[in-house]
Amino acid sequence: MIPYGRQAIGDDDIAAVVSVLKSDFLTQGPAVPAFEQAVARRCEAQYAVAVNSATSALHIACLALGVGAGDRVWTSPITFVASANAAVYCGASVDFVDIDPRTYCMSASALEAKLTQAERAGMLPKVVIPVHLAGQSCDMAAIYALSQRYGFATIEDAAHAIGGTYRDKPIGACEFSDITVFSFHPVKVITTGEGGMALTNNGKLAATMSLLRSHGITRDAAHMEAIDPEGWHYEQQALGFNYRMADLAAALGVSQLAKLDDFVARRREIARFYDTVLAAADVTTPYQDPATSSAWHLYIVRTTGNAGGGHRELFDRLRAAGIGVNLHYMPVYRQPYYRRLGFAPGYCPEAENYYSDAISLPIFPAMTETERDQVVKAVAEALAR
Ligand SMILES: *Cc1c(COP(=O)(O)O)cnc(C)c1O
C-alpha cells in the first residue's frame, strides 16, 4: 500500500537524535530553545513555544487568549477533531463555519454571515480557529478584517501548512492572527515524532503559553511573586500542564527544518504532476488561491457524480489497487461526540458536499516516480471501470 503521507528521515536526522542521546539532557536542554528560535526565524514570528503536540499548542493558545466556560470558539468543520476539542478542553462551546467550495478552507463570507447573526443574538465568538487545509492558507486578510470589526481573536491551525506562504509571507508570521499552531506528527510536513509549536508576535501570549506548557511553573526570579526568593525557589502561578517537547524531539525538528524547503518543493512537484496528468480525468484537482503557496500536506481531489462507480466505490477501488487514499475529513460535527452535543448531519452544506466526494491521494517527499505513476494509473483504471 502506498500511504497518503509518510515521514522522510535521513542519516542527518538520526545523527541529530543520537547526539542528544549521548548528551547531558534528554529533555529541557538546549535543543528545544534552538528549535524554537529556528522555526521563529524561518516563519518570521517573534516568539515560538514548542510543545508535545499541535493539540497541546491549540489548548494553551485558547487558554492564553482567555477562553473559558461560557465562551464560544468557532472553527472549520473540515479539520481534524483537535481544532474543535481544544476549545472544549477550556469549557467553551464550539461552533462550525462552513467552508469555501473552492479552497475547502473556512469561508470568509460564511464567517461574516454567521457573525452578523451572532451579533444580533449577542453570541459572538471569543476566538476563531481557521484551518489551512492541505497546506493552503485561508483568506486571512478577510478573516483579520472581521476580527477587527467583531472583536474576536484568531488562532491559525497551520498543522498542515509549515513551509507555505500567504501574500509572500511565511505561514506562521501571524500577520493576520494572534497565534499560529504547527504540528510535527510524522504524516505532517516536518516531524519530531510527536510535537507541535505555537507562534506569536505577542510577548504576553508567548509568556503565558510557556508557563502553561510546564505546570504553570516559573523558575525565573524576575517573574516571581515572592520578594527575594531562595535559590531553590520555584513558583506555580497558574494551573498548567506537562506539555513540554523533549530535546530528543527538538533535535529531530532542527534537522528536519533544514530540509523544509526541499520537502515542500518535492511535494509541489508531485502536486504539479497530478495536476497535469489528472487535468483531463473525471476528478476536480485542487484550486490554488493566487495569494497562497501551499505546503501540500495533502493532495485532495473531488470525484464527479457517478464516475468510477461513485465516491465510495472509487475509494474502495483505489484501496484495493494498493493506493492508501484517505478522506480528510468527515465534518467534525458528525463525530458521535459532537452529535451528542447537539449537532446534526447536514449542518454545513458545503462541508457535506465536500465529504460526499473528496479523496486524498498519496503525497510525500520520498514518493518515487514509480509510486506516483502507480497512483495515476490506478485512478485512471478505477475511473474507467
Ligand atoms: C494533525 C492535526 C492536528 C493535531 O496535531 P497533533 O500534533 O497530532 O496534536 C490539529 N489540527 C489539524 C488540522 C491536524 O491535521
Side-chain angles (χ1 to χ4, degrees), residues 52-58 78-83 131-133 157-160 181-185 187-188 193-196 297-298 328-329:
N52 57 359
S53 72
T55 304
S56 302
L58 287 164
I78 300 301
T79 184
F80 182 59
V81 293
S83 320
V131 179
H132 301 327
L133 191 78
D157 183 338
H160 300 179
V181 166
F182 293 134
S183 171
F184 307 125
H185 181 278
V187 295
K188 305 289 165 70
E194 296 280 4
H297 165 55
L298 300 173
H328 301 93
Y329 299 88

Side-chain angles (χ1 to χ4, degrees), residues 160-330:
H160 300 179
I162 192 169
T165 67
Y166 175 69
R167 294 195 172 181
D168 298 323
K169 276 214 162 203
I171 290 176
C174 299
E175 198 181 358
F176 299 105
S177 68
D178 297 279
I179 297 169
T180 300
V181 166
F182 293 134
S183 171
F184 307 125
H185 181 278
V187 295
K188 305 289 165 70
V189 181
I190 59 170
T191 189
T192 60
E194 296 280 4
M197 202 176 279
L199 277 65
T200 182
N201 293 319
N202 179 319
K204 266 183 85 170
L205 290 176
T208 304
M209 291 192 290
S210 302
L211 201 64
L212 290 174
R213 84 168 147 189
S214 193
H215 309 283
I217 286 174
T218 182
R219 293 174 187 276
D220 179 354
H223 292 109
M224 284 185 192
E225 291 172 23
I227 299 156
D228 189 24
E230 307 84 351
W232 62 81
H233 191 84
Y234 64 79
E235 283 184 356
Q236 185 194 344
Q237 298 178 336
L239 184 63
F241 309 89
N242 182 351
Y243 280 173
R244 291 188 305 264
M245 176 179 280
D247 270 44
L248 281 170
L252 179 55
V254 170
S255 168
Q256 288 264 300
L257 185 69
K259 299 183 280 192
L260 174 62
D261 290 333
D262 288 345
F263 287 169
V264 172
R266 267 299 288 152
R267 289 175 175 276
R268 187 176 303 126
E269 200 180 304
I270 296 161
R272 293 241 165 89
F273 171 79
Y274 283 155
D275 281 347
T276 311
V277 178
L278 299 176
D282 226 348
V283 292
T284 306
T285 55
Y287 165 80
Q288 295 299 291
D289 174 345
T292 69
S293 131
S294 180
W296 290 109
H297 165 55
L298 300 173
Y299 188 91
I300 300 166
V301 296
R302 307 272 302 259
T303 61
T304 322
N306 230 26
H311 181 234
R312 178 151 185 191
E313 176 64 23
L314 184 68
F315 188 96
D316 291 345
R317 284 179 190 177
L318 289 170
R319 277 279 177 93
I323 313 300
V325 288
N326 231 305
L327 204 174
H328 301 93
Y329 299 88
M330 177 167 82

